[in-house]
Amino acid sequence: TVATVVDHITPKTWGGTDDYDNLQPLCNACHDIKTTQEVERGRLQKSFIPVTIVAGPPGSGKSTYVAGVMQPGDLLIDLDALFQAVSNLPMYDHNRSALLPFVLDARWAMLSRLAKPSRVRHAWVITTEGDANKLRRMLVDLDAKLVVMRVDSDECLRRIDNDERRTDRVMPWGDLVGRWWRQWATTHGDDLV
């Protein structure tokens, strides 16, 4: 779909700016969906259980890290895993964009549910969010801890090339990794860690 709207990645009402790194092209339909979800969602509430947010660029090892520290009874909240669960497509298939609103709603429901008592021991949130302002907000809202996978671009791309799950070479992995590092730098991500 042709992009026709310039969208604020972090809405201005949430502290976003008109800086180039906070802007992205979207089609009208995707922009309307994103705006509606932002208005409906507002803020998260403090989590009843411990939460660790694991952030980093694609290929930085977020999933591998979490797999190594998760315990039985822990909860995993990961967009890629949710996409796979609702689509039955391979983990990194690029044909899943139509499902984005459903996956974002499912993740939001899970994040919101953390504010209620449960028998879950710990929640792990995997994200490629590179905007430190959004991460700050999520950390404060959930009263979460943060782990950042600080793996340089070349190593991320090497890992992506060697990842058998990433058979889809249509994805612009180099652009996505580079964009993560640019967002991280321009939003002062190093101040978070």
Side-chain angles (χ1 to χ4, degrees):
T1 303
V2 176
T4 55
V5 176
V6 176
D7 174 66
H8 289 88
I9 297 168
T10 300
K12 292 184 87 170
T13 57
W14 292 359
T17 66
D18 290 324
D19 292 342
Y20 179 77
D21 288 338
N22 191 45
L23 303 176
Q24 66 182 343
L26 292 178
C27 69
N28 280 330
C30 289
H31 182 261
D32 290 347
I33 290 168
K34 180 178 177 280
T35 300
T36 300
Q37 290 173 339
E38 290 165 349
V39 169
E40 289 174 354
R41 288 185 180 150
R43 302 291 298 248
L44 291 166
Q45 295 179 7
K46 181 179 175 183
S47 176
F48 186 78
I49 61 171
V51 176
T52 302
I53 299 169
V54 181
S60 61
K62 298 176 297 294
S63 298
T64 302
Y65 171 81
V66 171
V69 294
M70 274 186 76
Q71 299 292 316
D74 286 0
L75 173 68
L76 173 64
I77 303 174
D78 177 16
L79 277 183
D80 289 325
L82 289 170
F83 265 120
Q84 189 174 28
V86 302
S87 70
N88 204 30
L89 291 170
M91 175 79 70
Y92 297 106
D93 190 296
H94 77 281
N95 293 312
R96 57 193 196 174
S97 60
L99 300 174
L100 181 61
F102 298 95
V103 173
L104 289 174
D105 284 349
R107 181 177 71 168
W108 182 259
M110 294 175 78
L111 291 169
S112 297
R113 177 62 177 84
L114 293 174
K116 298 178 183 176
S118 73
R119 293 175 50 187
V120 171
R121 189 189 72 82
H122 195 108
W124 300 89
V125 180
I126 295 177
T127 182
T128 56
E129 181 58 66
D131 184 329
N133 294 319
K134 287 183 179 181
L135 288 172
R136 278 184 194 93
R137 178 178 169 187
M138 188 182 289
L139 289 167
V140 169
D141 286 358
L142 295 173
D143 191 27
K145 294 181 181 176
L146 177 66
V147 173
V148 178
M149 307 303 289
R150 299 171 58 85
V151 177
D152 69 60
S153 296
D154 290 340
E155 178 63 16
C156 289
L157 294 174
R158 187 193 67 73
R159 291 177 182 182
I160 289 168
D161 283 342
N162 293 321
D163 188 342
E164 295 176 4
R165 300 171 302 167
R166 298 179 198 254
T167 57
D168 182 357
R169 297 299 175 203
V170 175
M171 291 291 287
W173 293 112
D175 292 343
L176 295 172
V177 171
R179 181 173 34 169
W180 190 92
W181 279 109
R182 284 190 303 279
Q183 279 188 326
W184 183 253
T186 58
T187 58
H188 308 286
D190 288 337
D191 294 346
L192 278 176
V193 290

